[in-house]
């Protein structure tokens, strides 16, 4: 059932173009309206939303971090992201005009379920983004948007992450549309960009051999750091999480701008630092900023592994290893920049002799708080 792959994870990584395409499928009607499944919330309910809270754990939390950038940018509604395990214990401010988005691949994560129940007690509306039909979290939500990536068997989440991102983009666009913040043609333009993503993800997957080679070379590193800005920041966190859980290595992700406030002291001769560079276009300032962050770490001896857009020449002089991904609008870039980090973590884990599908101490679905 692994279909010729060494692991379910390798198979699931390769399924990502199809999974993204399937999650997008059938989401818009002829007149350009977005349709979500099982939305038991009226457009009026959605127009009344004055705050969005995203709650999730682990990789799904990283989806939420990316979603915040997109949702605030498109809808102009304030959006907070919080770890589900922290959310309900700090008395968050919620009411009936708050939309709580619970993201969970399994639909059974106890921390996320408890956060959802807390939100409902406070009369907030709850929308679930979930991959498992009929699981507890969607059953207890007011609305559900299913990710259509098929069962994810490997413990480490890969294709679920990418499809959750797509689902969050769709929610953001839907909210923007019903509230009249974006016109149908603007929404249509983003949907057209989204529809190009499966092919771009495939392009990344087709170019992974040098990443695998590099990964084998990194297998003995003491620690690997990941830095990113804007949506590259949650991608850096996700890259570090994949490496921790699969390779059992010390790995940490940082917002690149925070480095100089402490973490840069960790950098030693040869420390691998993976740098996730945002789009070279549109966000020029951001690009300049991270280029200077990369220079800073390199000047302190780091071995820099840079994930950048094709044609981004500014970073090349500071990259010991340069991994190009296709040009993509900034907000959608995590759909391509995450993929090399998944492949790298899987390969390092394999080189270290670990079971990539069943990492030690972990379970696929965490049903205790
Ligand atoms: C990491 C991973 C976990 C899950 C987390 C939430 O690869 O798989 O961090 O993302 O346990 O699980 P779900 O999405 O099922 O609620």
């Amino acid at each position: 059932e692994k279909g010729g792959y060494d692991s379910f994870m390798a198979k699931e990584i390769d399924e990502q173009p199809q999974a993204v395409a399937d999650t997008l499928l059938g989401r818009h009607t002829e007149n350009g309206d977005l349709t979500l499944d099982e939305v038991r919330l009226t457009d009026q309910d959605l127009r009344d939303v004055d705050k969005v809270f995203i709650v999730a754990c682990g990789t799904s939390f990283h989806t939420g971090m990316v979603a915040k950038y997109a949702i605030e940018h498109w809808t102009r509604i304030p959006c907070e992201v919080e770890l589900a395990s922290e959310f309900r214990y700090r008395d968050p401010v919620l009411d009936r005009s708050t939309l709580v988005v619970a993201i969970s691949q399994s639909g059974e994560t106890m921390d996320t379920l408890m956060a959802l129940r807390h939100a409902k007690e406070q009369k907030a509306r709850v929308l679930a983004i979930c991959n498992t039909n009929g699981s507890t979290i969607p059953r207890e939500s007011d609305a559900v948007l299913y990710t259509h990536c098929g069962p994810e068997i490997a413990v480490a989440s890969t294709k679920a992450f990418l499809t959750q991102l797509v689902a969050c983009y769709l929610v953001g666009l839907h909210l923007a549309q019903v509230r009249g913040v974006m016109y149908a043609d603007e929404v249509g333009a983003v949907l057209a960009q989204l529809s190009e993503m499966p092919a771009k993800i495939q392009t990344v997957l087709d170019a992974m051999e040098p990443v695998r080679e590099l990964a084998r070379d990194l297998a003995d590193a003491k620690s690997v750091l990941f830095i990113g800005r804007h949506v590259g920041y949650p991608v850096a966190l996700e890259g570090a999480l994949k490496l921790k859980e699969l390779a059992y290595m010390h790995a940490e992700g940082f917002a690149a701008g925070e480095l100089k406030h402490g973490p840069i002291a960790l950098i030693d001769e040869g420390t691998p630092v993976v740098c996730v560079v945002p789009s070279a276009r549109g966000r020029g300032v951001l690009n300049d900023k991270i280029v200077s962050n990369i220079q800073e770490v390199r000047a302190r001896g780091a071995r820099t592994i840079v994930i950048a857009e094709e044609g981004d020449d500014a970073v090349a002089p500071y990259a010991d290893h340069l991994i190009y991904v296709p040009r993509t609008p900034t907000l959608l870039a995590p759909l391509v920049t995450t993929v090399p980090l998944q492949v790298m973590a899987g390969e390092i884990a394999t080189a270290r002799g670990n079971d990539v599908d069943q990492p030690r101490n972990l379970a696929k679905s965490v049903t205790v708080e």
Side-chain angles (χ1 to χ4, degrees):
E1 28 175 338
K2 288 182 200 159
Y5 287 92
D6 292 338
S7 64
F8 282 107
M9 184 183 157
K11 175 168 177 271
E12 289 163 4
I13 287 174
D14 267 12
E15 284 169 356
Q16 293 182 115
Q18 190 62 49
V20 165
D22 289 346
T23 302
L24 283 168
L25 199 74
R27 294 297 187 189
H28 38 118
T29 59
E30 267 165 39
N31 59 8
D33 283 345
L34 273 172
T35 47
L36 310 180
D37 29 52
E38 299 193 37
V39 182
R40 294 174 290 265
L41 294 172
T42 63
D43 283 359
Q44 191 52 51
D45 292 333
L46 294 177
R47 276 191 282 273
D48 290 341
V49 169
D50 61 11
K51 176 157 190 190
V52 178
F53 253 119
I54 303 177
V55 292
C57 307
T59 290
S60 300
F61 174 71
H62 298 150
T63 304
M65 288 181 73
V66 174
K68 174 188 164 82
Y69 289 88
I71 289 175
E72 288 196 342
H73 181 73
W74 289 330
T75 70
R76 310 310 298 152
I77 308 170
C79 174
E80 281 190 49
V81 195
E82 191 153 357
L83 291 168
S85 55
E86 287 294 319
F87 178 74
R88 77 183 182 122
Y89 296 105
R90 66 165 188 89
D91 200 11
V93 182
L94 303 167
D95 60 30
R96 58 181 69 252
S97 50
T98 311
L99 178 68
V100 172
V101 181
I103 308 175
S104 175
Q105 187 285 130
S106 61
E108 301 295 348
T109 300
M110 190 55 75
D111 287 314
T112 309
L113 180 60
M114 288 307 180
L116 177 167
R117 287 184 181 158
H118 182 74
K120 288 189 77 178
E121 277 164 22
Q122 312 293 310
K123 307 282 182 262
R125 320 266 180 186
V126 180
L127 170 85
I129 291 178
C130 184
N131 193 44
T132 314
N133 270 43
S135 55
T136 312
I137 288 171
R139 273 207 320 270
E140 295 198 14
S141 299
D142 299 310
V144 193
L145 182 58
Y146 283 108
T147 46
H148 295 288
C149 74
E152 191 179 61
I153 298 187
V155 164
S157 190
T158 56
K159 63 177 182 174
F161 178 67
L162 260 57
T163 56
Q164 286 167 348
L165 289 172
V166 171
C168 287
Y169 295 138
L170 292 173
V171 167
L173 293 170
H174 187 65
L175 269 175
Q177 191 169 27
V178 297
R179 297 165 64 88
V181 191
M182 271 170 101
Y183 293 116
D185 59 334
E186 295 172 297
V187 171
V190 182
L191 286 171
Q193 292 164 346
L194 275 168
S195 69
E196 292 174 8
M197 296 313 297
K200 292 185 183 185
I201 298 164
Q202 190 60 53
T203 304
V204 178
L205 288 169
D206 290 341
M208 283 298 94
E209 206 36 56
V211 172
R212 290 202 176 86
E213 219 167 279
L214 168 65
R216 293 190 284 271
D217 197 43
L218 293 175
D220 295 325
K222 272 210 309 273
S223 149
V224 181
L225 307 182
F226 293 74
I227 62 172
R229 276 182 180 263
H230 195 266
V231 291
Y233 168 40
V235 171
L237 296 180
E238 175 61 7
L241 177 60
K242 287 284 95 85
L243 201 54
K244 287 176 221 185
E245 65 180 329
L246 293 167
Y248 321 149
M249 274 164 95
H250 175 250
E252 243 183 294
F254 303 101
E258 272 296 292
L259 274 187
K260 57 185 173 301
H261 301 288
I264 201 162
L266 289 167
I267 297 187
D268 205 349
E269 202 53 46
T271 305
V273 180
V274 178
C275 315
V276 185
V277 179
S279 160
R281 297 161 296 157
R283 309 227 169 229
V285 180
L286 261 178
N287 192 269
D288 295 348
K289 289 270 156 64
I290 196 164
V291 171
S292 69
N293 297 137
I294 297 170
Q295 274 175 276
E296 281 156 19
V297 296
R298 200 150 182 267
R300 285 154 183 91
R303 176 177 179 188
T304 55
I305 299 149
V306 178
I307 319 254
E309 259 192 1
E310 247 155 30
D312 184 349
D313 305 326
V315 283
Y318 313 107
D320 293 307
H321 308 273
L322 189 53
I323 302 167
Y324 275 133
V325 295
R327 297 180 70 143
T328 303
T330 308
L331 286 170
L332 310 186
L335 291 170
V336 283
T337 51
T338 307
V339 175
L341 307 186
Q342 298 168 336
V343 171
M344 192 187 294
E347 194 69 26
I348 294 179
T350 305
R352 288 165 69 97
N354 298 352
D355 179 342
V356 291
D357 284 340
Q358 295 283 345
R360 68 184 183 198
N361 309 340
L362 293 174
K364 183 64 184 163
S365 160
V366 184
T367 52
V368 289
E369 249 192 290

